[in-house]
Amino acid sequence: MDKYQTIFLRFIALIIDYLLLIPLLYFSSDLTATFIKNGFSPEIATFAAYTSIWTFFVSYYVLMNAFFGRTFGKMLVRVKIVDTSERKINLGQSLIRSLPQIIPIIIILGFNSHYLMTGETNQKEIQIAGAVESLLNIAVLLWTIFNIIAALSDDKYRALHDYFAGTIVIKNKV
């Protein structure tokens, strides 16, 4: 059962992945400038840059997990994601497992798309966007708490997204 004791390693892997991905946000202005040079308006270029970066973030998790069973962070701490029979996961399982990360991004981009694409906003839109962002933050916090409770309550330390996707995270010797 030691192979399932991965909670701390998963947390470290997440930090490593964020440390790898967060610097990409600093290139958003360069990407925006590239879109502008290619004929996009500044507003559309900004929206395209943000959407491209967030699409890359989501794709990183979904594709790395689907094809390798792990991200670079998980590789470094030597854990991998497998299905409940401990075989390689498929793209659908990886996508389902990543939905808690994908949904807030889609909602935030959706609520900010008008502003990002037009540069225009009004007080009501600002209030609504702020309220949605607050609700998303609360939802993410609750999801995290429930995930931790689920993982600590399970003999294989499966989080909620593992249950939904039919996956387990195990220690990997390689």
Side-chain angles (χ1 to χ4, degrees):
M1 291 308 243
D2 182 53
K3 71 179 175 180
Y4 301 116
Q5 294 180 3
T6 60
I7 292 177
F8 180 72
L9 296 172
R10 291 159 78 168
F11 178 70
I12 298 300
L14 183 66
I15 291 171
I16 292 168
D17 286 329
Y18 281 173
L19 289 174
L20 292 172
L21 293 172
I22 294 297
L24 292 177
L25 292 175
Y26 293 105
F27 294 108
S28 64
S29 59
D30 295 334
L31 191 55
T32 300
T34 301
F35 283 127
I36 290 170
K37 286 179 188 174
N38 286 299
F40 290 89
S41 71
E43 295 81 13
I44 298 292
T46 301
F47 180 74
Y50 276 95
T51 302
S52 299
I53 288 171
W54 286 114
T55 299
F56 180 83
F57 273 48
V58 168
S59 299
Y60 168 76
Y61 283 100
V62 172
L63 297 176
M64 288 293 292
N65 289 333
F67 292 109
F68 304 106
R70 56 197 162 192
T71 60
F72 288 118
K74 284 184 177 66
M75 287 178 191
L76 290 174
V77 300
R78 296 186 176 163
V79 297
K80 68 179 178 178
I81 304 164
V82 294
D83 70 11
T84 53
S85 62
E86 297 193 17
R87 288 189 225 123
K88 185 179 184 301
I89 67 169
N90 60 43
L91 184 61
Q93 287 173 300
S94 182
L95 185 61
I96 290 168
R97 200 171 186 282
S98 298
L99 280 176
Q101 296 165 315
I102 296 170
I103 292 170
I105 292 169
I106 291 170
I107 292 170
I108 288 170
L109 283 174
F111 271 92
N112 289 316
S113 62
H114 174 74
Y115 170 72
L116 290 171
M117 292 177 71
T118 64
E120 299 171 2
T121 190
N122 61 44
Q123 192 62 30
K124 185 176 181 180
E125 288 174 346
I126 291 170
Q127 289 173 337
I128 291 171
V132 168
E133 187 175 341
S134 295
L135 287 174
L136 280 174
N137 287 334
I138 292 167
V140 168
L141 176 64
L142 289 173
W143 176 261
T144 302
I145 291 168
F146 291 142
N147 251 344
I148 291 169
I149 291 168
L152 292 174
S153 302
D154 185 73
D155 61 338
K156 294 182 179 178
Y157 300 98
R158 294 174 66 198
L160 293 174
H161 55 267
D162 289 313
Y163 281 104
F164 296 143
T167 59
I168 307 168
V169 180
I170 61 173
K171 290 181 181 176
N172 185 26
K173 294 175 183 156
V174 178

